[in-house]
Amino acid sequence: DFLAALEEVPPAFGVSEAELQQCVQNHIIPFSPHIEQILADGKLYVDQVRQSSRTPVVSLLVHGPAGSGKTAIAATIALESEFPFIKLISPETMVGMTESAKIAEISKVFNDSYKSPLSVIVIDNIERLVDWVPIGPRFSNAILQAILVLIKKKPPKDRRLLIVGTTTERNVLDQMDMADAFNSQIYVPTITTLEGIDIVLQQLGLFSDAERKRTMSLLSQAGMENKIAIGVKKLLMVIEMARQDADKIEKFVNTLISL
Amino acid sequence: DFLAALEEVPPAFGVSEAELQQCVQNHIIPFSPHIEQILADGKLYVDQVRQSSRTPVVSLLVHGPAGSGKTAIAATIALESEFPFIKLISPETMVGMTESAKIAEISKVFNDSYKSPLSVIVIDNIERLVDWVPIGPRFSNAILQAILVLIKKKPPKDRRLLIVGTTTERNVLDQMDMADAFNSQIYVPTITTLEGIDIVLQQLGLFSDAERKRTMSLLSQAGMENKIAIGVKKLLMVIEMARQDADKIEKFVNTLISL
Amino acid sequence: DFLAALEEVPPAFGVSEAELQQCVQNHIIPFSPHIEQILADGKLYVDQVRQSSRTPVVSLLVHGPAGSGKTAIAATIALESEFPFIKLISPETMVGMTESAKIAEISKVFNDSYKSPLSVIVIDNIERLVDWVPIGPRFSNAILQAILVLIKKKPPKDRRLLIVGTTTERNVLDQMDMADAFNSQIYVPTITTLEGIDIVLQQLGLFSDAERKRTMSLLSQAGMENKIAIGVKKLLMVIEMARQDADKIEKFVNTLISL
Amino acid sequence: DFLAALEEVPPAFGVSEAELQQCVQNHIIPFSPHIEQILADGKLYVDQVRQSSRTPVVSLLVHGPAGSGKTAIAATIALESEFPFIKLISPETMVGMTESAKIAEISKVFNDSYKSPLSVIVIDNIERLVDWVPIGPRFSNAILQAILVLIKKKPPKDRRLLIVGTTTERNVLDQMDMADAFNSQIYVPTITTLEGIDIVLQQLGLFSDAERKRTMSLLSQAGMENKIAIGVKKLLMVIEMARQDADKIEKFVNTLISL
Amino acid sequence: DFLAALEEVPPAFGVSEAELQQCVQNHIIPFSPHIEQILADGKLYVDQVRQSSRTPVVSLLVHGPAGSGKTAIAATIALESEFPFIKLISPETMVGMTESAKIAEISKVFNDSYKSPLSVIVIDNIERLVDWVPIGPRFSNAILQAILVLIKKKPPKDRRLLIVGTTTERNVLDQMDMADAFNSQIYVPTITTLEGIDIVLQQLGLFSDAERKRTMSLLSQAGMENKIAIGVKKLLMVIEMARQDADKIEKFVNTLISL
Amino acid sequence: DFLAALEEVPPAFGVSEAELQQCVQNHIIPFSPHIEQILADGKLYVDQVRQSSRTPVVSLLVHGPAGSGKTAIAATIALESEFPFIKLISPETMVGMTESAKIAEISKVFNDSYKSPLSVIVIDNIERLVDWVPIGPRFSNAILQAILVLIKKKPPKDRRLLIVGTTTERNVLDQMDMADAFNSQIYVPTITTLEGIDIVLQQLGLFSDAERKRTMSLLSQAGMENKIAIGVKKLLMVIEMARQDADKIEKFVNTLISL
Ligand SMILES: Nc1ncnc2c1ncn2[C@@H]1O[C@H](COP(=O)(O)OP(=O)(O)OP(=O)(O)O)[C@@H](O)[C@H]1O
Ligand SMILES: Nc1ncnc2c1ncn2[C@@H]1O[C@H](COP(=O)(O)OP(=O)(O)OP(=O)(O)O)[C@@H](O)[C@H]1O
Ligand SMILES: Nc1ncnc2c1ncn2[C@@H]1O[C@H](COP(=O)(O)OP(=O)(O)OP(=O)(O)O)[C@@H](O)[C@H]1O
Ligand SMILES: Nc1ncnc2c1ncn2[C@@H]1O[C@H](COP(=O)(O)OP(=O)(O)OP(=O)(O)O)[C@@H](O)[C@H]1O
Ligand SMILES: Nc1ncnc2c1ncn2[C@@H]1O[C@H](COP(=O)(O)OP(=O)(O)OP(=O)(O)O)[C@@H](O)[C@H]1O
Ligand SMILES: Nc1ncnc2c1ncn2[C@@H]1O[C@H](COP(=O)(O)OP(=O)(O)OP(=O)(O)O)[C@@H](O)[C@H]1O
Ligand SMILES: [Mg+2]
Ligand SMILES: [Mg+2]
Ligand SMILES: [Mg+2]
Ligand SMILES: [Mg+2]
Ligand SMILES: [Mg+2]
Ligand SMILES: [Mg+2]
């Protein structure tokens, strides 16, 4: 039965660990308590899949503003499950494929997962996978329909699956009846406090401690306390740009203020 | 004639019992008297097909909110008919097929059914079969037209057919002139009473009797009596999530309240 | 010349009698004087085609609400002409064909008819033949254009043709400039009197005479006299459903009232 | 030069006389002085093509209500030119062809015409040739563009061409910039006087003289004098229908009144 | 270098002189001083291409009402340049080609031009080349994009190119961002004075001097002085039509007045 | 590691220097201090790519009015980086390709760049690459989606990439969610001062010093000081046109005033 099947699977079967590791290249910096809460929730869903036979498929939509860290978080949940089958479906590996080749690829990942007792599939950047563009609007209905069906499809007996999707366009997915097709949703916020900025700066080592304090006080004087709302990915970019400049503090502070 | 033809058919011809059984994996829990009434009505239609030669094809649309149990009920009606030919047409087995391959598959099921004196065909999730999406809106008109024609097509002499469709989007099917093409319609409701919740909890064994009573009283205190409206499928998901948590009662009550 | 040509044709050439007979499976029940008038008018058009060389093609659009009996009436007019070539063009035989295959099939029927001195072609359910759906709206313009041209095309010398189309969507055909392309139109009404219901009940033998009288009086008491409007096809369905029930009268009356 | 070239052409080259004759099957009945004026104008254009080397291509759009006699008039102008090349382009010979096959066929007629010193091409029913339908609206832009270019294209040196198009949809052709592409336009009216009706009746011999007079007086009493507007083609149809009836006068008068 | 390359080209390479000559079949009649100014401006652009190495590609859009003489003027500018490569791109030679064949043909002309040190390409009737129709509106975006890119593409080193486009639909090209892609624009007017008409009449020899004077005085009396606006091409057509009539003056005057 | 990989690359690998040089054919004339600032900013981004391993891909959108010099500036930034891989993606080399061939070509450039430790890709004229036209509007969603994914795709380990896009249609790219996909944006202005015009005139040597002064004073008297807004590319065209004229000053001044 289920436990027996679990043992038969060679541990490394179907893991795309390298690709997923690359998504957390700059680690998960705990810039606010939300981040820890999100990862804890993720573990609960992993447990449900591992233990309940009544809900063999559980699906989770990770959404939030551009650059807020959705992909890194989805990858972290997937990697920490240590399930024998962990796969990433991403538009980046499908550039230039025809619509039907993309659907075949997506289907294959699901069919492969049905061979493992426990699986996680990360579907990254769903709006891009379905070729969404707001002008028109236009999108690939064929890919959309395939995903809609696959995330609700029950795996065969004694097979269990966690699906983690990510998107910047939750409203769009809502209008496509896709948000509803997920069992749960997790919101990933931007950094909205100076403390959050401070934590990231500390981690990245752009400034000495003195410089960092000056920076924070400059931002505070500029009244940024209640105005800040920057994705962690964008913040990393600003930090690296500032690093090239002669006057790093000025560059960093000015860029943040002018956003 | 008809009775002779009936005897010639090998009993197991054309039954997709396994697939249909999987649709009622968690059984039909009688959480309200409606459920029994629905199954009784279903039997009447089965009888009409079995006995009246003037209406060789009878069609039935099972509709209701997402997760209310439509597929499980359609499968149950079909399985209980014990007709020699029972088939499921479902988008889940057609992911990635071209439009014309899908139409060929659907047609084939109907043509196969014409070889049996008595048949049931379940057409599950019609809005997904026709690739419906509200943005645009878009859908496959070719598949739609094929279904529109097939559900009204008369079987050959001495052949009789019951068609059971399911959908979450009755309004959409109405606009597509499809709702009219069905002879009758059955509405499957969500659970709208605390008693309904209680019955399901009892069946699933999440709590001891004492815990269940506490849970019900907490929900009652929270004024949920008049607010509840949850599909049985969603309720099963909430129960299984709560089962993972340290404090099952709190998790269950809070999740229901926050829906 | 024409009479000579008429004699040369083998009597049974090109008749699709079986298919057309199936369309009048439950006969034409004369539930109102309109029905007889319609059939008499149909005969006049048949005569015109048979006798006038100045109008070698005459076309007739049979329209009315869903289930009012349009197909049965068109089939009856065609069969009673006893012309050597009688053919049915129906969406039911074209499920899953490509647009161009459908056009080829339709064209072929017309070209075949040109080989017979006298022909009738029934084009059933035109809105379905052209894949009409109100959402969009969408339809096959290629099939539409083919039909538009074919129903006005003059047959070769000494060949005469009656075309009988049917549709539920006269307004749509109007907007498509197709209603205008027909020379005449016949409206098929629903049953709008209790007398009409009574006649049909009598014919179908659902009740004993006493039961039938009780039924009519119940309907009358319920004030249905001025509210009734049911297609004969739907009425047949209601009668057959009631036949399965323990209390046939109650089931029949309640169903009619709740329509 | 031109006259030499004219002599070289075998007289019967490229005439589709049979098809065009069929278009005037019921002759041109001179029901009003307009009809003679139209045919006289047609002759002027024929003369211009025959004689002026400065305008090697002249095009003429014959438009008017459905059934007013446009095709018969265009065919008459073409046949009376007695040019060595006279061809009919009609949707009736192109049913079921692909868009590109239709364009190839149309092009071929023009290219063939360039081999004759003097040619007439009748393009019948242009709105149908371009697959026009008001819903959408939709039409074949590829065919439209081909016609737009061909009717303005100059023939090779010493080749001259008259193009006669017909359409019921002059407004549509206007919106398509096609009406402008024709050098001149001729309007074909319906019959709008009782005298016109009388002339046609006389010609068709439906009634004895006495019957005809009674008919006219009945129409006059019914106040039809100022209301009549019927295409000659429709009138022929009404006459032939009346011919089948026991009471021809009543049928004819009632049909005209109820139009 | 450039001058050397110029000498190597055989004089007649790539000239489509015959086709262009045909476009000026009826010559350029100088009906107003504007016409001379337009041709002088055209020469300036030719000079710039011949002499400035900083602007290796110069493009010119000739626009104006239908029949105002745009094609004749573009052809004249091209022919008078006497550049070694002079080509006409015209919808008339592309009837029935696929979109991609048209693009290949257009591209080929440009690529051929890059082999000549000095080239002129006339792109006639751009709205027709891109299959423009105002209903929809519809057009070939693929052809449009190809032209948009090609008219701005820099020729290889030491190659220079003048592009002369013509269109009746300047507003449309504006909305397509194509008008902007041309470096300059020239407007070709209709004839708007009686003097202009007089000059053309004189040239065409329709009337004796006395007749012409009478004609002009009739037009003047009819108050046409301030109302006239006729393309030279249309005027030629009217003159040739009048030539067939018994009363040439009346026909000519009446036609002009009734325009 | 990274530095080692850098050494292994043959210096000239993958540079499309000739094409890029052609884009700066008329050099970069420093007509305002902005121009120098833009080039300095460009260098900062080049440095970030060269030095920071945390942001392996940096993307920059150069936008501004038509002819303001965007392509020349993007080419200059790319060439001055002296990275081993420098490539231009331009619609000019893709005329007549199918959508999928264009995507394959674009993908190939990115995949090739991943073989070099340091790369610059210039994507010129993005609105044209995606076949944008405001009527409709229409564009190639497939090409758009490919670019959207490729500019955010992370290169493999130890590979770094600078992407410089150019466009006249920043608002359009915004609506396509593409402007957001770039990390930074640079605006290239038109010339808006008489000093700017003066600098360009001086560089191009159209006038003697005296003539230039007269020209500037004429422009000043005409009140052009506050009205000027001309792209440097257009200004070069005006200068070269004026060069052909007998009265260069008048031509130049009049053209500028009449813009
Ligand atoms: N707390 C955090 N949460 C998420 N990512 C973090 C966090 N701290 C640091 N990071 C780093 O920030 C980056 C987040 O980028 P990521 O691609 O996950 O964002 P995204 O929201 O998916 O962006 P996009 O909207 O473009 O898809 C990663 O490099 C990750 O290592
Ligand atoms: N009374 C009931 N009616 C229907 N299903 C029930 C009932 N009691 C328990 N179930 C279980 O609940 C689940 C209902 O899920 P089902 O897929 O039928 O819902 P659905 O309405 O078809 O959902 P969807 O809208 O997603 O198609 C099944 O697992 C079924 O066994
Ligand atoms: N008076 C009648 N007129 C027509 N049909 C009748 C009449 N009396 C009985 N019938 C029976 O009623 C049925 C009418 O069905 P039919 O398919 O012709 O209806 P329809 O209007 O074509 O339906 P639909 O709108 O679905 O195409 C047939 O079985 C026919 O035998
Ligand atoms: N004066 C007339 N003008 C035209 N046709 C006439 C006239 N008198 C008699 N006819 C006859 O009337 C018929 C006219 O039909 P025709 O097909 O030309 O009409 P139409 O306007 O082309 O119709 P549609 O709008 O359907 O294309 C022909 O059979 C023709 O012989
Ligand atoms: N001054 C003139 N300018 C242009 N054409 C003239 C002039 N005088 C005479 N013509 C003659 O008039 C005709 C003009 O026709 P042309 O095809 O050039 O017009 P067009 O504006 O291109 O028409 P269209 O709008 O249909 O393309 C030619 O035959 C030309 O020889
Ligand atoms: N300061 C400057 N900035 C940019 N280009 C300059 C400058 N000075 C001179 N030039 C020259 O001006 C021309 C600018 O043309 P370029 O094609 O770069 O403009 P563009 O904005 O890309 O035009 P388009 O909007 O048509 O794409 C080039 O030939 C370049 O050499
Ligand atoms: Mg992401
Ligand atoms: Mg279901
Ligand atoms: Mg019918
Ligand atoms: Mg006609
Ligand atoms: Mg022209
Ligand atoms: Mg540019």
Side-chain angles (χ1 to χ4, degrees), chain C residues 161-191:
Chain C
L161 174 60
L162 175 67
I163 299 164
V164 187
T166 81
T167 188
T168 323
E169 304 284 352
R170 211 200 51 160
N171 286 339
V172 172
L173 296 208
D174 245 341
Q175 291 168 47
M176 287 171 171
D177 293 343
M178 194 187 264
D180 260 16
F182 280 92
N183 299 132
S184 309
Q185 306 198 355
I186 287 180
Y187 175 72
V188 181
T190 51
I191 304 177

Side-chain angles (χ1 to χ4, degrees), chain B:
Chain B
D1 69 349
F2 182 72
L3 292 180
L6 194 45
E7 271 167 31
E8 281 161 32
V9 183
F13 168 76
V15 183
S16 50
E17 213 173 309
E19 282 165 271
L20 284 162
Q21 290 292 9
Q22 207 189 359
C23 297
V24 254
Q25 191 185 347
N26 293 315
H27 307 100
I28 302 286
I29 304 171
F31 57 76
S32 103
H34 278 115
I35 298 302
E36 278 136 14
Q37 183 59 43
I38 287 171
L39 293 176
D41 281 357
K43 279 207 186 89
L44 261 187
Y45 293 107
V46 169
D47 287 349
Q48 184 183 351
V49 170
R50 193 183 282 115
Q51 283 163 27
S52 164
S53 68
R54 278 210 191 77
T55 52
V57 59
V58 173
S59 56
L60 182 63
L61 182 61
V62 176
H63 64 97
S68 57
K70 301 170 297 296
T71 304
I73 278 170
T76 302
I77 294 173
L79 289 168
E80 294 189 347
S81 76
E82 299 192 320
F83 282 2
F85 183 96
I86 306 178
K87 274 277 180 186
L88 174 66
I89 294 175
S90 157
E92 297 193 0
T93 61
M94 299 195 192
V95 172
M97 280 187 183
T98 62
E99 201 175 52
S100 60
K102 288 181 187 177
I103 294 172
E105 184 109 338
I106 296 170
S107 284
K108 192 182 174 318
V109 173
F110 277 84
N111 285 330
D112 284 355
S113 81
Y114 299 150
K115 291 174 199 149
S116 160
L118 288 172
S119 305
V120 198
I121 296 175
V122 176
I123 314 181
D124 195 30
N125 218 338
I126 297 180
E127 71 273 23
R128 201 55 56 234
L129 264 182
V130 299
D131 287 346
W132 166 259
V133 63
I135 304 185
R138 297 210 228 156
F139 56 94
S140 159
N141 192 24
I143 299 177
L144 172 64
Q145 298 292 336
I147 298 180
L148 276 175
V149 170
L150 289 170
I151 59 184
K152 291 185 75 173
K153 185 171 175 176
K154 287 192 210 61
K157 210 159 163 298
D158 289 337
R159 297 290 180 261
R160 301 191 199 144
L161 174 59
L162 176 67
I163 299 164
V164 187
T166 81
T167 188
T168 323
E169 303 284 351
R170 211 201 51 163
N171 286 339
V172 171
L173 295 208
D174 244 341
Q175 292 168 46
M176 287 171 170
D177 293 343
M178 194 187 264
D180 261 16
F182 280 92
N183 300 131
S184 309
Q185 306 198 354
I186 287 181
Y187 175 72
V188 180
T190 51
I191 304 177
T192 54
T193 61
L194 290 184
E195 290 71 39
I197 307 263
D198 199 22
I199 293 171
V200 176
L201 277 175
Q202 218 163 330
Q203 200 83 15
L204 272 286
L206 173 64
F207 298 129
S208 69
D209 276 12
E211 287 174 327
R212 223 184 61 232
K213 283 201 182 111
R214 238 212 70 243
T215 302
M216 297 317 294
S217 114
L218 283 171
L219 287 173
S220 188
Q221 281 162 35
M224 292 299 285
E225 189 76 57
N226 305 315
K227 286 198 229 145
I228 217 121
I230 183 172
V232 61
K233 194 172 163 187
K234 177 99 196 158
L235 182 56
L236 294 179
M237 182 59 70
V238 173
I239 289 171
E240 295 308 307
M241 285 181 183
R243 212 187 284 276
Q244 312 311 316
D245 207 283
D247 186 342
K248 294 190 288 183
I249 295 184
E250 201 199 341
K251 181 81 180 179
F252 181 77
V253 170
N254 284 351
T255 310
L256 273 207
I257 289 173
S258 70
L259 279 182

Side-chain angles (χ1 to χ4, degrees), chain A residues 207 211 241-251, chain F residues 44:
Chain A
F207 298 128
E211 286 173 329
M241 286 181 183
R243 211 187 285 278
Q244 311 311 315
D245 208 282
D247 187 342
K248 294 190 288 183
I249 294 185
E250 201 198 342
K251 181 81 179 179
Chain F
L44 261 188

